[in-house]
Amino acid sequence: MKYALIPVIFLLLGFNYPPGKEDIKKEIYLAEKAFEKMALEKGIAEAFYFFAAENAVIKRENDSLITGKENIRNYYEKRDLKDATVNWTPDFIDVSESGDLGYTYGKYIWKIKDKEGKIVEYKGVFHTVWKRQKDNSWKYVWD
Amino acid sequence: MKYALIPVIFLLLGFNYPPGKEDIKKEIYLAEKAFEKMALEKGIAEAFYFFAAENAVIKRENDSLITGKENIRNYYEKRDLKDATVNWTPDFIDVSESGDLGYTYGKYIWKIKDKEGKIVEYKGVFHTVWKRQKDNSWKYVWD
């Protein structure tokens, strides 16, 4: 009987119970923004490593695929991005009914210093597929 | 009582019941191949229209986004692709636990006739997000 009160307690606390699609979209939004924040604070290679699922794949120049979180970190470490920053925000998020798979897209801006120290901006569109992990965290599986 | 026999009947017929993740991955595989077949038989614009979800988005040259199935058909109709063919096969498929959202990636080959009638090949990597529709069919939401 006491377990029957759990939803009531959640509702009283201001949570939706069970979490609906909008709540899960918000989780993914927060994962995107935490990813962006880590990229700014700890560097791009570390953030792309931390937020990658074990078998994550990123598609980069000339349709090359980089597979696995170690290789993704190596890919970014080899590029000289110490002075670069990147910002992004999803314009669209959708998730599966089961709340374990979702995807986003939106705009990004890279700011990279050129050889003369001048900041050059590169704008584009990102797209990410997110998968909930066994520990309940969200990691990207495609970027 | 008679409904209790449904799983037994499915199993006797050789179906897995309820369908597991591997069955759903196979559905998406078959959708990819049906999409490819339609592109070869009815043209690229028609196939990209038919397999698009209502609010589908494709990312093309210079990170431009084309949104909505009508706009996607227009995009392909404006390009002179009557003699072009495209083949693709997914190398990887994953789906959500609820079996309503999945994504693929793999290699494609476009064959396009140049001005002198010579066939030129363009190879690359595709990535598609598929979403099950209300009528149970699979349509792409991102390509």
Side-chain angles (χ1 to χ4, degrees), chain A residues 37-102:
Chain A
K37 188 164 181 274
M38 186 184 270
L40 292 170
E41 291 176 356
K42 299 204 172 177
I44 287 145
E46 274 316 303
F48 269 86
Y49 179 77
F50 181 84
F51 280 94
E54 206 58 52
N55 64 343
V57 178
I58 64 173
K59 188 171 101 164
R60 292 296 182 266
E61 298 76 24
N62 303 315
D63 279 9
S64 59
L65 295 184
I66 301 116
T67 302
K69 58 191 291 177
E70 301 288 343
N71 292 329
I72 291 169
R73 179 161 62 182
N74 290 344
Y75 166 81
Y76 276 113
E77 278 178 349
K78 277 181 193 164
R79 301 162 72 86
D80 188 18
L81 294 171
K82 274 170 201 157
D83 290 327
T85 62
V86 58
N87 284 87
W88 70 89
T89 292
D91 292 325
F92 180 91
I93 304 176
D94 197 14
V95 294
S96 68
E97 291 299 326
S98 44
D100 61 327
L101 195 70

Side-chain angles (χ1 to χ4, degrees), chain B residues 132-137:
Chain B
R132 194 192 288 279
Q133 305 297 299
K134 281 177 189 165
D135 68 358
N136 221 31
S137 69

Side-chain angles (χ1 to χ4, degrees), chain A residues 63 94 97-98 125 127 131, chain B residues 63 94 98 100 125 127 131:
Chain A
D63 279 9
D94 197 14
E97 291 299 326
S98 44
V125 171
H127 157 69
K131 187 170 181 174
Chain B
D63 278 8
D94 197 13
S98 44
D100 60 327
V125 170
H127 157 70
K131 187 170 180 175

Side-chain angles (χ1 to χ4, degrees), chain A residues 100-101 129-133 137-139 141, chain B residues 21 94:
Chain A
D100 61 327
L101 195 70
V129 180
W130 291 88
K131 187 170 181 174
R132 193 192 289 279
Q133 305 298 297
S137 69
W138 286 98
K139 304 282 183 179
V141 287
Chain B
K21 270 185 108 165
D94 197 13

